[in-house]
Amino acid sequence: MKQKCDTCDSKVDEVKRVVIGKDYDRSKAIPLYNCPDCFEKKLKERLHNKK
């Protein structure tokens, strides 16, 4: 079953979400699930902004 990426609206086989990580807690945020491409882009942005 295809799932929808909440960022780009594409239909994909797998979506991902980071909820808790080092210095990162989105456990109380509205969940957003991302396709692998959007996930990697958001992860890189988050790590870059952390510096």
Side-chain angles (χ1 to χ4, degrees):
M1 183 171 118
K2 298 283 186 181
Q3 299 174 22
K4 185 178 78 108
C5 173
D6 291 325
T7 301
C8 71
D9 291 328
S10 63
K11 302 284 184 182
V12 294
D13 292 324
E14 176 185 52
V15 291
K16 299 179 179 185
R17 177 178 179 227
V18 174
V19 179
I20 297 175
K22 185 175 180 183
D23 301 322
Y24 187 79
D25 182 354
R26 300 291 294 165
S27 60
K28 295 181 181 172
I30 295 171
L32 294 176
Y33 295 90
N34 294 283
C35 67
D37 290 339
C38 289
F39 180 86
E40 289 300 319
K41 181 180 176 186
K42 290 180 85 171
L43 180 62
K44 286 178 184 175
E45 288 173 1
R46 181 170 55 90
L47 295 175
H48 176 70
N49 291 334
K50 193 168 119 174
K51 293 179 180 179

